[in-house]
Amino acid sequence: MQPVLEINTPDGFDLWPVAEVVPFSFLPLSGELSPAEVGTAMMRIAGCNDIDPDGDRPPRPSDPLDSFLHGLLTFENLFAAGGLRVTDDSTGITFLPGCCDGLEDWRDWHRLVDGGGLLGFGHDPVSPVAERFGGIVRLTVNAEQSDSPVIEVSVVELRHLLAGAERDLADFLALAADWVHQHLPGHYASVTAALARVLDLPAPVLPAEQ
């Protein structure tokens, strides 16, 4: 189980260095990313929230960097395209995040494990679904297909996988905080706090003022 971002790199992005990636691919998040990959992740997370302000938020600044970060720093409910990816190494089946349950909602998996029921991640034409049946969680790659591939994992193992995914997210947050300190020093506290909110994790301890 890996936390991933769905990547869509806009043409001509030049606010900071980013890695070359395949559009609409998934970037796994961990503490092992290169600086350019962290830049790509930060670009995507900020881009997901780069929406013109409505009446409830302050106007967009004119400075290009401040303008791009404006949504990330002013939206109450932040969004990041992606989620948790599960791969069954024995069959090669991969359960991918859908469009209706972003990375910011990754803790929904805990509610499924603890409370049971069904968790939907998307809608037609692709509807990934996770459902608990007793001690087993069944992951249906596309509930729109009667013969969809499925992955079955025990609740005990899924708890273990979720703990690993949380470690990956925490490691990424620490790495990204260092990246922000180097590349966006004037926005360090606010961007780091916003990123922690997106990942639904405690904000890292900020370094003392020099």
Side-chain angles (χ1 to χ4, degrees):
M1 175 176 276
Q2 296 175 307
V4 294
L5 273 176
E6 184 180 355
I7 300 299
N8 179 19
T9 306
D11 293 333
F13 183 85
D14 60 0
L15 294 176
W16 57 73
V18 296
E20 291 189 11
V21 295
V22 177
F24 305 108
S25 60
F26 288 97
L27 176 65
L29 300 182
S30 71
E32 303 299 322
L33 299 185
S34 69
E37 288 172 329
V38 176
T40 298
M42 295 301 300
M43 174 203 65
R44 181 56 171 147
I45 292 171
C48 284
N49 299 282
D50 184 26
I51 301 170
D52 286 335
D54 54 23
D56 297 329
R57 294 190 294 131
R60 184 189 290 272
S62 59
D63 176 79
L65 176 60
D66 290 342
S67 176
F68 184 62
L69 295 175
H70 188 64
L72 181 66
L73 301 182
T74 59
F75 265 125
E76 179 178 355
N77 298 313
L78 298 174
F79 167 69
L84 300 184
R85 178 173 63 186
V86 182
T87 300
D88 185 339
D89 292 332
S90 66
T91 63
I93 296 171
T94 299
F95 181 89
L96 293 172
C99 60
C100 298
D101 199 79
L103 186 60
E104 75 284 355
D105 295 320
W106 72 272
R107 290 190 186 275
D108 287 352
W109 285 83
H110 282 290
R111 287 190 281 275
L112 171 68
V113 169
D114 295 336
L118 181 145
L119 183 59
F121 298 91
H123 55 75
D124 187 29
V126 179
S127 300
V129 170
E131 190 170 7
R132 177 172 174 176
F133 298 92
I136 297 293
V137 175
R138 180 178 299 157
L139 310 179
T140 303
V141 173
N142 185 4
E144 302 295 330
Q145 298 178 348
S146 60
D147 59 348
S148 170
V150 299
I151 298 173
E152 291 192 345
V153 58
S154 72
V155 169
V156 172
E157 177 62 16
L158 187 54
R159 291 186 195 278
H160 174 73
L161 294 174
L162 285 170
E166 183 167 1
R167 286 192 298 271
D168 284 338
L169 285 172
D171 290 346
F172 168 72
L173 177 58
L175 185 66
D178 288 341
W179 182 95
V180 173
H181 191 256
Q182 295 178 34
H183 291 84
L184 304 172
H187 300 275
Y188 176 61
S190 56
V191 169
T192 302
L195 182 59
R197 287 175 52 216
V198 172
L199 301 178
D200 199 3
L201 292 172
V205 177
L206 303 184
E209 296 271 345
Q210 299 296 322

